[in-house]
Amino acid sequence: MKINEILKHSEKGFSFEFFPPKTEKGRVSLSNTVDLLKKYNPLYVSMTYGAGGGSQAQTKDAVSMLLDFKDLEVMPHLTCIGSCEKDIKQMLDGYKSQGIENVMALRGDPPMGQSNFNFSTKNYAHASDLVRTLKQYNHFCVGVAVYPEGHIESKSLDQDMDFTKKKVDAGADFAVTQMFFDNAYYYALLERMSKKAISLPVLPGILPLTDVEKVKQFAAICRTTIPSDITTKMEKFRHNPVEMEKIGVEYTIKQCRDLINNGVKKIHFFTLNKPEIITAIIDAIQ
Ligand code: FAD
């Protein structure tokens, strides 16, 4: 079923994002993770593509693994940077023949160490180009990424919104946000979208705060603010990871409760393939 239909007909719920495992142990762990999280009857589950050095083949394998669960709506992520139309269409033809109806359309990032990467020489310079290819199929429901604090390459929030509108005008059906730790950025994003008459569903993307140093590194790359009160609290327990995780998870629970109290009924979790943390959060908020 198409995710935009699921979102329309579900009053509330959660979606879960996984990354493709690289080892047999990782495969077993992903399978156990999905098994555990299935009980929440997810709106959908998604699988990242190429992020953190993963390969296309790993994503395809992991997507097939999710499809084996039968009763889950599965959405592969797909990045288009550096790809030609033939490769993209081959991938999409494959997904279509597997019965997949939803794809998360992303530009992706230039290969490591290529800061002067020339986007304009490629078939696909922006995610909006991929959205257009997907919509030509007249088959896929398309998700796109949006950025509560603006994408790191955007010169301003206004410019960020103008380019977001291009993705939506190209046919995007729903959006998932970049991680954020201060809900004010999410509410402000919704307001900016509303001012531009962009009216698609926007799922808040929640990354549980566990290892503050790791999250800080990642947050710096993608322009995400971590409020200083929580980093200070967590950093005090740098040498006690269990306590640090406990404080972080409590913070994420508070963050989710605030979203719910402000009328947000559907939340997307970046699970990092760690089911216990997600379970602890969901059990506390529902
Ligand atoms: P775009 O929408 O193309 O935007 C990228 C930049 O280009 C922005 O600054 C935008 O403002 C600008 N821009 C857009 N259109 C134009 C235009 N017409 N002219 C000039 N500038 C323009 N990465 C992975 O590799 N694999 C994943 O699985 C993955 N999953 C993700 C899931 C989520 C929920 C999110 C938020 C991000 C994910 N990413 C993933 C990261 C993503 O690939 C990066 O953030 C990437 O830098 C931008 O991708 P995009 O699709 O937002 O690109």
Side-chain angles (χ1 to χ4, degrees):
M1 190 172 176
K2 292 190 168 51
I3 291 173
N4 54 351
E5 289 299 316
I6 296 175
L7 296 177
K8 204 190 297 172
H9 298 296
S10 312
E11 200 210 324
K12 58 183 185 172
F14 306 104
S15 51
F16 301 124
E17 183 172 314
F18 306 108
F19 64 85
K22 292 183 178 145
T23 60
E24 189 46 38
K25 192 171 158 216
R27 282 176 65 81
V28 173
S29 164
L30 173 63
S31 179
N32 292 340
T33 300
V34 179
D35 241 347
L36 262 168
L37 295 180
K38 247 175 48 179
K39 67 175 174 188
Y40 298 111
N41 195 16
L43 298 161
Y44 70 89
V45 294
S46 64
M47 185 56 69
T48 64
Y49 180 88
S55 71
Q56 280 186 16
Q58 283 162 352
T59 296
K60 274 164 103 176
D61 278 358
V63 164
S64 298
M65 195 171 146
L66 291 180
L67 289 172
D68 285 344
F69 279 88
K70 307 287 181 223
D71 43 356
L72 295 174
E73 196 53 57
V74 178
M75 176 175 75
H77 290 199
L78 182 60
T79 63
C80 58
I81 192 170
S83 298
C84 65
E85 195 173 1
K86 187 170 152 266
D87 293 344
I88 292 284
K89 287 197 165 160
Q90 197 177 8
M91 194 83 175
L92 294 178
D93 291 345
Y95 282 148
K96 188 176 171 192
S97 69
Q98 283 180 292
I100 289 170
E101 289 186 79
N102 304 282
V103 173
M104 180 83 178
L106 299 147
R107 185 199 69 182
D109 289 308
M112 286 286 234
Q114 290 193 29
S115 50
N116 291 328
F117 192 84
N118 186 352
F119 293 96
S120 59
T121 61
K122 306 290 169 193
N123 288 133
Y124 293 94
H126 308 292
S128 49
D129 300 326
L130 179 57
V131 174
R132 269 187 286 276
T133 299
L134 274 153
K135 291 318 273 191
Q136 280 166 13
Y137 277 74
N138 206 12
H139 168 81
F140 292 109
C141 164
V142 179
V144 289
V146 290
Y147 299 84
E149 298 181 55
H151 183 263
I152 190 108
E153 293 162 34
S154 299
K155 294 196 171 56
S156 67
L157 290 176
D158 274 350
Q159 191 203 51
D160 192 75
M161 204 33 60
D162 288 341
F163 291 138
T164 295
K165 187 157 177 12
K166 277 185 194 280
K167 286 200 273 206
V168 176
D169 291 346
D173 296 293
F174 72 101
V176 182
T177 74
Q178 180 59 280
M179 61 175 184
F180 58 91
F181 300 102
D182 178 345
N183 291 348
Y185 290 113
Y186 175 69
Y187 304 137
L189 168 77
L190 296 185
E191 229 176 279
R192 287 197 300 282
M193 293 181 90
S194 158
K195 278 191 185 141
K196 288 263 177 202
I198 302 174
S199 63
L200 78 181
V202 182
L203 295 178
I206 298 297
L207 178 72
L209 259 177
T210 50
D211 181 334
V212 76
E213 286 309 320
K214 273 197 194 141
V215 177
K216 264 167 76 177
Q217 280 169 19
F218 187 39
I221 308 170
C222 49
R223 194 188 275 165
T224 297
T225 306
I226 314 181
S228 59
D229 56 338
I230 184 62
T231 47
T232 311
K233 258 191 205 165
M234 289 178 80
E235 276 165 355
K236 276 190 196 143
F237 291 93
R238 196 177 278 125
H239 303 296
N240 184 347
V242 174
E243 195 56 28
M244 182 164 78
E245 185 176 295
K246 204 171 132 206
I247 295 168
V249 168
E250 273 166 18
Y251 182 86
T252 306
I253 290 172
K254 249 176 68 188
Q255 187 188 0
C256 292
R257 283 199 181 123
D258 178 80
L259 288 171
I260 292 166
N261 291 339
N262 280 283
V264 176
K265 296 197 166 16
K266 292 153 195 154
I267 297 178
H268 180 81
F269 284 105
F270 303 113
T271 69
L272 301 180
N273 298 5
K274 288 185 179 160
E276 296 82 9
I277 291 167
I278 303 298
T279 303
I281 295 166
I282 295 184
D283 290 348
I285 61 173
Q286 66 172 3

